Amino acid sequence: MKNLRKKYVIAGIAASIIFIVLFSLSAIIRNWLIKNSESLIGRKIAIEELHFNYLKIAVDTKNVVIYETNKTDSFISFKELYIDFSPWKLLNGEYSLSKVYLDQFRIKVIQNGEHFNFDDLTAGQDSLNPEKADTDKKAKKFSIYNIQLKEGNMEYTDVSKNSSMDLKNLELDLPSIAWNNKQSDVGANFNIGEHGKVVISAVVDNEKENYQINVKTSDVPLAPVTNYLKDHMDISSLEGDLTSDLKITGDLQEVINVSVSGPCKIKDLEITDGHYEKILSVPEVTGRISDINLKTFHFGFSGIEVNQPKLAMTRDKDMTNIERFFLPYLRADSIVTQADTSDTETSYYIDTLKINNGEILITDNTLNRRFKYSVAGLNMTMNGLSENAEQIPVSFNARLNQGKIEGKTKFSINNPLNFELKGKVINLDLVSFSPYTEYYLASPLTQGWFNYDLSIKMTATSLQNENHLRVNELEFGKKQKNTKPVVKAPVRLALYIMKDINDMISIDLPVNGNPSDPKFKLGKLIWKTFGNLMVKTAASPFRAMSGLVGTNPESLQSIPFSYLQDSLDAAQKQKLDILAKILKKKPKLVVEMVQHTDEDFEKEEIAYLLAKNEYSNANPDEVAMSEPIDSGFVAYISSRVPDFDQNKIKKACRELVSKDKIDSYFENILGKRNQLIHDYMVGFQGLPESSVKISTADLENLPEELRKPEFKLEVSLNM
């Protein structure tokens, strides 16, 4: 009995010791882990509770914190971690967990360049021998069932990008993970920002070695992406919310073989550039990813609609805000293009792209004063956009104040010189564009409506461009003082001259060229043709105005006189009547009438006339002279002029008559002609003094072709 009792006592004591050891083991291990944590993992650890369930072979730990290397800030923490082992599967060489539960998991990930705040935790012995580590993993089986994460939170900070992201309410519900199972199902959901939600479900088919992931997002903010775009764009902020329902399929063996598809929507998109100016705002963008395949580098989209976008375009002295916005990308792209030797080609396709009720706000800061204009109600539809499409059709229309613009075009990205465009500008109010005329012509626009029909058909070797312009009731204001026009061509004068009797300007401007010419630039060619037209019109104003009076335009270039003529004949009066009619229809025109003559020849004619008068006065009884020259008059000259040459009788007369008399008569006749024109145009026709300017040219320095008696007519505008 004593021996039996002794055995029971020993067994009881042993059981008590085992119980005490097992009961105390969790506390012992907890204290040991806390005390030796820095030597084990290099980090300080705090553990409030650690419990072992020996019946279930489970571990339950609560309120655990793994600190940063500074021993103060929290790196990882959680309220509870429960792990239930399945030890019986070890008999088959399989490591298995029947349940993993993690509550209120918190982690703070900090990236600085290529380094993370957990780099010291990832460097271990196996990293020194990756082949051995990989072999060991392949030799083991594992399975994890009933994985749950509740109320998780992840804070991510990128120091170099000055970017942060907070993933709240992370939820994970994973039925199983096992390498030797046929299929694994994964579910996760979490919040991003104030309203963003993400729901993820995934199916991994281990037999077929592929997977499918469904990602649904709702109002996920785009702001965290901003700092990652700064390497490619001059951007200060990106706002907006993303909603999507995407399907991602991939290959477990070929990692890059990933395909993405599904609908997407962005609400309240706003982009602010590096100068903190809003460059784009869109209430809603909808569309669908048809197929994005990373293996083939194919990007396909369908049904993209951009609703009520507002684009701000600003032109400064150096460049536009759009050019500045993409400047980082263009610089980087030029470097990559030079260095890239890859054979990978990107393909893309957009079946339909629509812009609905958009607006473009245009600002030009390069003029004497700021120009601001709104192109509103913009609608555009583009179909079949791809890198290989030979013809991509685009139709568009928009409001231009009270006017509008509309058109259709076809272009090819693969062959950009294959281009067609037909467009119209209808009833455009030109007063809004006065800052441009003030800058280029030094005169404001006070009235005018512009209509324009444009057609362009271009291939690699030919261009056919038709420009039909109609301007109604165009009016310029007074020329601005102390302002020099940038354009030297007489555009303002030419446009005024080109007005018809209905106050309309009609211009047909065909342009042809060869796009393969290295110097070919369509815009420059059109403006050069337009400039030449303006110069030609101003140089031949009466040709342009001939339709007003139905006369030969060449006849209005000058008013010829005869030598010694001091009165107006019928032909001259007729020309002046026509000219007066034009000036009355175009009251802003000024006609400058400049008198020319051959001074030497006219003075010879004057000397001849005065000499005949002297001869007649000295011989009153003789019959009036007639051609041929009277012999008595010849004898009269011969007796008074030494070395007289009868073939040069008029020169001889100039020696006979005093210079003062000739000069006085000459000045008198020039003045009388000027007065005749003035009295007829101002007195008889009733034109204002400001409409007619009459003067005499510098006769001594006239070129030979202008040495004839006439009034040369020049036209200008009354400023």
Side-chain angles (χ1 to χ4, degrees), residues 202-355:
V203 177
V204 180
D205 192 323
N206 295 317
E207 287 188 337
K208 296 181 179 179
E209 297 186 329
N210 60 29
Y211 61 87
Q212 177 177 312
I213 304 173
N214 292 96
V215 181
K216 292 185 178 182
T217 65
S218 175
D219 298 327
V220 173
L222 299 177
V225 182
T226 302
N227 290 320
Y228 294 94
L229 298 176
K230 289 185 176 180
D231 289 340
H232 309 285
M233 302 171 186
D234 181 35
I235 186 173
S236 62
S237 69
L238 171 67
E239 301 293 336
D241 297 324
L242 172 66
T243 297
S244 64
D245 187 359
L246 301 180
K247 181 174 74 173
I248 304 171
T249 59
D251 192 317
L252 293 175
Q253 295 297 320
E254 194 174 9
V255 179
I256 199 173
N257 189 8
V258 179
S259 179
V260 183
S261 63
C264 298
K265 179 172 68 174
I266 298 176
K267 294 193 304 182
D268 302 324
L269 176 66
E270 286 191 2
I271 299 176
T272 304
D273 65 17
H275 287 62
Y276 300 98
E277 298 287 340
K278 187 185 296 184
I279 194 170
L280 177 66
S281 64
V282 187
E284 184 180 70
V285 181
T286 61
R288 183 178 184 84
I289 300 175
S290 301
D291 178 36
I292 293 180
N293 192 297
L294 300 182
K295 179 181 179 181
T296 60
F297 244 56
H298 173 76
F299 299 86
F301 302 88
S302 63
I304 298 177
E305 291 200 27
V306 185
N307 297 310
Q308 297 181 327
K310 286 187 178 181
L311 174 65
M313 298 179 62
T314 302
R315 181 188 179 204
D316 295 315
K317 294 290 185 182
D318 53 346
M319 65 179 69
T320 67
N321 64 330
I322 305 298
E323 292 172 307
R324 188 183 299 112
F325 183 77
F326 288 106
L327 193 59
Y329 170 78
L330 296 174
R331 287 173 176 167
D333 186 57
S334 64
I335 295 173
V336 171
T337 301
Q338 293 174 4
D340 186 19
T341 57
S342 172
D343 293 332
T344 303
E345 293 186 3
T346 302
S347 63
Y348 53 88
Y349 181 77
I350 301 177
D351 68 343
T352 304
L353 171 61
K354 288 186 177 181
I355 296 176

Side-chain angles (χ1 to χ4, degrees), residues 51-79:
H51 303 286
F52 293 105
N53 188 326
Y54 300 105
L55 296 178
K56 289 187 175 182
I57 316 298
V59 177
D60 188 12
T61 181
K62 296 181 179 180
N63 297 326
V64 176
V65 179
I66 301 176
Y67 290 92
E68 293 280 7
T69 54
N70 61 14
K71 303 180 183 180
T72 302
D73 299 326
S74 171
F75 169 52
I76 293 176
S77 66
F78 50 84
K79 183 178 180 180

Side-chain angles (χ1 to χ4, degrees), residues 177-223:
I177 297 178
W179 74 269
N180 59 346
N181 281 3
K182 294 182 178 181
Q183 179 174 297
S184 299
D185 298 321
V186 181
N189 60 78
F190 52 88
N191 294 343
I192 300 179
E194 295 294 327
H195 308 289
K197 295 182 179 180
V198 179
V199 178
I200 301 174
S201 61
V203 177
V204 180
D205 192 323
N206 295 317
E207 287 188 337
K208 296 181 179 179
E209 297 186 329
N210 60 29
Y211 61 87
Q212 177 177 312
I213 304 173
N214 292 96
V215 181
K216 292 185 178 182
T217 65
S218 175
D219 298 327
V220 173
L222 299 177

Side-chain angles (χ1 to χ4, degrees), residues 606-622 625 632-633 636-637 639-641 652-662:
I606 291 172
Y608 184 59
L609 175 62
L610 294 177
K612 286 194 295 180
N613 289 340
E614 287 183 7
Y615 175 72
S616 297
N617 292 333
N619 302 277
D621 295 333
E622 289 192 15
M625 294 178 293
F633 177 64
Y636 175 78
I637 299 298
S639 64
R640 287 166 174 75
V641 178
C653 291
R654 194 166 178 181
E655 295 182 26
L656 176 63
V657 181
S658 71
K659 182 177 181 299
D660 290 342
K661 285 184 178 182
I662 295 173

